[in-house]
Amino acid sequence: MNVKVFDTHVRTLDGGYLHFDVLIEGNDQTLATRHAREWLASRGVADADVSQSRCQFCHSEPAHPDVAAAIAQQGYFIIPLQGC
């Protein structure tokens, strides 16, 4: 499986900064943004807590089997990078 990587940056209203990658099978930026919001919500960060965010296509890469399995199960995989 080849995945698309979306570089995602989020600033929260309380001054926090989160940087993570959203990996999905297709190149749908709207879908990647929706998955980023779902993942943030699962960590207690609601849209109302976000002052600005960016989720944009970065590159494609072959998926590790664990990543491919997660994408097959839930539609996405997150790689936490900063502040997560």
Side-chain angles (χ1 to χ4, degrees), residues 8-81:
T8 306
H9 301 263
V10 175
R11 293 237 180 244
T12 60
L13 293 177
D14 66 1
Y17 172 73
L18 305 169
H19 178 205
F20 54 94
D21 286 341
V22 179
L23 283 61
I24 62 174
E25 196 167 1
N27 196 23
D28 184 344
Q29 185 166 350
T30 302
L31 180 62
T33 300
R34 185 170 73 219
H35 288 317
R37 288 182 176 138
E38 290 171 9
W39 185 76
L40 287 167
S42 75
R43 276 142 184 77
V45 180
D47 279 347
D49 296 327
V50 175
S51 63
Q52 69 183 33
S53 65
R54 178 175 55 115
C55 184
Q56 67 185 35
F57 175 71
C58 181
H59 66 279
S60 298
E61 64 184 52
H64 183 278
D66 293 340
V67 171
I71 292 172
Q73 181 180 22
Q74 66 186 17
Y76 67 96
F77 185 83
I78 301 292
I79 299 175
L81 298 171

